[in-house]
């Protein structure tokens, strides 16, 4: 293959195994908010102390230490609340441990790149595979100092990893550092304090199958009544029996409300979380539950009705529809989005673009969407693209993980399969083999549109190239047919090529102007032959 790396095998992405829905707690009274704040602050303090104890245990943690922490918390709250707090603590510590391992890998990648470039002569040019030497002696000297700094960080990180030390901030490190940059964040100290306190609250409860409505701590009835089991020190705030407090707000989940109602009426586990949006002054309740893993359709079934190949870019999805033989159908489609602004705005833009993509896939009748299995983690290192800050910002701003999670969960609701393929060479080979042949006066093909075709063909199991080499013997195809898709038994494989656009024959062009029909010929030479020979380089069936 001349240095081309081996491509990873494509696969059907497993469907989602969890569901979460959210609704606003409206019309809360002052007493309701007082109780929610008191419960959140009390349980948040318990969670902070438990997280500290878990971090002190480090690698010595076991079932006995977990049980001891839970017994201590039970006396200050309840058994169920203590179980929810200790489980959340364990998950948070495990997440910090995984992030620590990823940080060590990033440091090792940077150190490896720096050592390689420092070993080369100053000014030596690089290749497509590896960077060259630094441009000047001063840059070489600065990078040698950075190498020493990264090696020191790596040594400290490895020591923490071996000792089981993690550094976790309840409330988030980003919000903590914002305290020192209030002017840039356009926040006052009081506004920051309110957000910091709210983020450190703990108002959550795990579900329990077999219990009434699937949760004993935070209970929601089918008619939307929300009640909370208060901790022992706050039992005097209860307004009903058994130390419970009933909120005046009512819940009505507009999304998946029927599925949620079926679960609680069958007393199946549903976990709840209450949180406050400090900026908007609104309270929300989130319900979540597990569901059996969605059985993905077999790869052959997913390919039977064709595929939509999607190329992910910084500001849009470039999608192209292909039939089961890998032939592009119609025109390319683009679904733009804007990743500037707040996190909520970016998330809404991604969801809106994915919704339009999935609706189009349902309309055209395909069963699967092919997408690249992107992971920019090794590409984000400063050592690999030091001067190209805009490029690093570009790839760092693409929410690949969130995009894949969103697409899989949204596509599963419409019965669509997601086929992940290796992203190597899709843009290069797509532009080489598809961009120019598909460009017409009425169709503008970009490199991204051609990459969508390459992705779709790879998901269908076809090579990206349009045709194989010609027959070696003669033009009678004695050595076999030259195309690489359909077998000899496929009907219509030698037929004429369909129209290049979706407009009907003789109809108006995409620009709105009607094309003039060709006039009849008056000469024998121009008369059409009774035997038509069709040879089209884009007809990929055979």
């Amino acid at each position: 293959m001349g240095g081309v790396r081996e491509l990873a095998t494509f696969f059907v992405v497993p469907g989602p195994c969890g569901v979460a829905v959210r609704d606003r707690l409206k019309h809360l009274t002052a007493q309701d908010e007082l109780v929610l704040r008191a419960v959140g602050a009390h349980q948040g303090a318990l969670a902070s102390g438990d997280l500290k104890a878990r971090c002190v245990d480090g690698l010595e943690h076991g079932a006995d230490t977990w049980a001891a922490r839970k017994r201590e918390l039970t006396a200050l709250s309840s058994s169920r609340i203590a179980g929810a707090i200790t489980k959340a603590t364990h998950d948070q510590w495990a997440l910090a441990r995984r992030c620590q391992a990823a940080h060590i890998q990033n440091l090792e990648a940077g150190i490896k790149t720096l050592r390689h470039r420092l070993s080369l002569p100053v000014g030596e040019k690089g290749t497509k595979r590896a960077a060259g030497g630094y441009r000047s002696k001063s840059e070489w000297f600065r990078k040698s100092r950075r190498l020493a700094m990264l090696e020191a960080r790596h040594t400290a990180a490895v020591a923490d990893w071996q000792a089981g030390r993690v550094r976790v901030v309840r409330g988030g490190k980003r919000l903590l550092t914002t305290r020192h940059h209030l002017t840039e964040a356009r926040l006052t100290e009081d506004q920051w304090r309110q957000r910091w306190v709210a983020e450190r609250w703990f108002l959550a409860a795990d579900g329990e199958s077999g219990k009434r409505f699937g949760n004993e701590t935070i209970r929601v009835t089918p008619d939307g009544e929300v009640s909370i089991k208060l901790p022992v020190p706050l039992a005097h705030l209860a307004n009903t029996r058994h130390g419970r407090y009933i909120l005046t707000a009512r819940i009505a989940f507009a999304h998946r409300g029927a599925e949620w109602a079926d679960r609680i009426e069958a007393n199946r586990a549903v976990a709840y979380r209450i949180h406050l949006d400090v900026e908007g002054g609104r309270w929300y309740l989130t319900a979540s539950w597990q569901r059996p893993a969605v059985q993905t359709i077999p790869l052959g079934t997913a390919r039977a009705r064709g595929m939509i190949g999607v190329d992910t870019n910084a500001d849009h999805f470039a999608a192209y529809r292909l039939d089961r033989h890998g032939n592009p159908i119609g025109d390319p489609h683009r679904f733009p989005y804007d990743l500037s602004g707040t996190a909520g705005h970016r998330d809404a833009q991604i969801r809106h673009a994915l919704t339009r993509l999935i609706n189009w896939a349902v309309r055209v009748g395909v069963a699967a969407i092919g997408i690249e299995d992107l992971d920019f983690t090794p590409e984000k290192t400063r050592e690999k693209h030091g001067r190209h800050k805009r490029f690093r910002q570009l790839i760092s701003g693409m929410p690949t993980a969130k995009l894949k999670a969103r697409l899989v969960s949204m596509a599963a609701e419409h019965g669509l399969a997601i086929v992940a393929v290796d992203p190597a060479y899709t843009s290069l080979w797509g532009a080489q083999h598809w961009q120019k042949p598909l460009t017409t006066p009425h169709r503008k093909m970009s490199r991204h549109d051609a990459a969508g075709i390459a992705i779709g063909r790879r998901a269908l199991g076809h090579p990206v190239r349009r045709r194989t080499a010609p027959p070696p013997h003669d033009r009678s195809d004695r050595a076999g047919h030259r195309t690489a898709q359909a077998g000899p038994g496929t009907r219509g494989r030698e037929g004429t090529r369909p129209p290049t656009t979706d407009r009907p024959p003789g109809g108006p062009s995409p620009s709105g102007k009607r094309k003039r029909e060709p006039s009849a010929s008056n000469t024998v030479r121009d008369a059409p032959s009774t035997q038509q020979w069709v040879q089209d380089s884009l007809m990929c069936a055979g």
Side-chain angles (χ1 to χ4, degrees), residues 152-437:
R153 290 181 182 177
H154 180 263
T155 302
V158 171
D160 288 343
W161 170 265
Q162 295 174 348
R165 285 191 300 268
V166 297
R167 290 167 173 80
V168 184
V169 180
R170 289 203 69 249
K173 180 180 178 181
R174 177 175 297 180
L175 184 58
L176 177 63
T177 54
T178 303
R179 174 64 181 83
H180 307 289
H181 307 280
L182 296 179
T183 304
E184 293 83 345
R186 298 181 181 179
L187 293 174
T188 64
E189 184 177 350
D190 183 63
Q191 291 173 336
W192 176 86
R193 180 67 58 183
Q194 292 179 9
R195 295 188 182 187
W196 175 252
V197 170
E199 288 294 331
R200 290 168 64 86
W201 287 343
F202 188 90
L203 274 169
D206 298 332
E208 297 176 90
S209 293
K211 299 297 181 180
R212 188 180 182 189
F213 301 131
N215 199 310
E216 282 290 328
T217 305
I218 300 178
R219 180 184 298 165
V220 184
T221 62
D223 60 354
E225 181 185 88
V226 183
S227 63
I228 302 175
K229 175 68 175 178
L230 299 178
V232 174
L234 302 177
H236 62 280
L237 298 176
N239 60 1
T240 186
R241 299 181 301 170
H242 308 300
R244 304 191 71 87
Y245 186 89
I246 299 178
L247 301 176
T248 57
R250 290 293 184 269
I251 286 295
F253 293 110
H255 181 56
R256 299 184 185 273
E259 185 178 353
W260 166 80
D262 292 341
R263 288 192 67 87
I264 64 172
E265 289 176 357
N267 296 329
R268 299 175 64 187
V270 178
Y272 295 103
R273 174 178 174 264
I274 300 175
H275 70 280
L276 171 64
D277 179 10
V278 178
E279 185 177 0
R282 299 176 177 179
W283 291 85
Y284 292 93
L285 183 141
T286 302
S288 58
W289 60 89
Q290 291 184 346
R291 61 195 302 187
V294 178
Q295 296 294 329
T296 56
I297 62 178
L299 188 59
T301 306
R303 294 170 170 173
R305 289 182 287 171
M307 183 81 61
I308 288 180
V310 180
D311 180 48
T312 305
N313 301 283
D315 57 353
H316 72 280
F317 296 128
Y320 221 119
R321 180 189 174 195
L322 293 83
D323 63 15
R324 64 189 182 93
H325 302 304
N327 301 310
I329 301 175
D331 294 324
H333 286 67
R334 296 185 183 181
F335 305 93
Y337 48 82
D338 180 16
L339 296 182
S340 62
T342 63
H345 175 264
R346 295 194 299 269
D347 187 60
Q349 288 284 306
I350 290 294
R351 285 188 283 109
H352 183 51
L354 290 178
T355 299
R356 288 180 291 161
L357 170 64
I358 291 173
N359 289 340
W360 176 55
V362 172
R363 285 198 307 271
V364 299
V366 300
I369 296 175
I371 193 168
E372 296 170 301
D373 189 15
L374 293 174
D375 183 12
F376 288 126
T377 302
E379 301 293 331
K380 295 178 183 178
T381 173
R382 173 179 169 183
E383 319 310 328
K384 188 170 184 179
H385 307 288
R387 297 190 188 91
H388 306 286
K389 292 185 179 180
R390 293 187 61 184
F391 180 73
R392 286 194 288 126
Q393 293 173 355
L394 179 70
I395 60 178
S396 298
M398 294 178 63
T400 54
K402 182 178 293 185
L403 187 150
K404 288 187 287 187
R406 289 280 188 193
L407 180 59
V408 169
S409 61
M410 294 171 67
E413 298 304 317
H414 293 80
L416 297 174
I418 303 298
V419 181
V421 303
D422 194 314
Y425 313 114
T426 52
S427 297
L428 177 64
W429 292 350
Q432 179 181 353
H433 298 290
W434 292 98
Q435 184 176 4
K436 184 177 180 180

Side-chain angles (χ1 to χ4, degrees), residues 111-151:
I111 291 172
K112 180 180 179 181
T113 303
L114 284 173
R115 287 176 177 172
H116 168 71
R117 300 192 67 180
L118 289 171
S119 65
L120 300 176
V122 174
E124 181 172 330
K125 294 184 178 181
T127 63
K128 292 183 178 180
R129 298 287 180 178
Y134 293 109
R135 293 189 296 183
S136 62
K137 291 183 178 181
S138 61
E139 186 179 9
W140 189 97
F141 175 72
R142 292 194 301 270
K143 292 300 182 180
S144 65
R145 289 172 63 92
R146 178 165 175 78
L147 174 61
M149 180 185 64
L150 291 185
E151 289 176 341

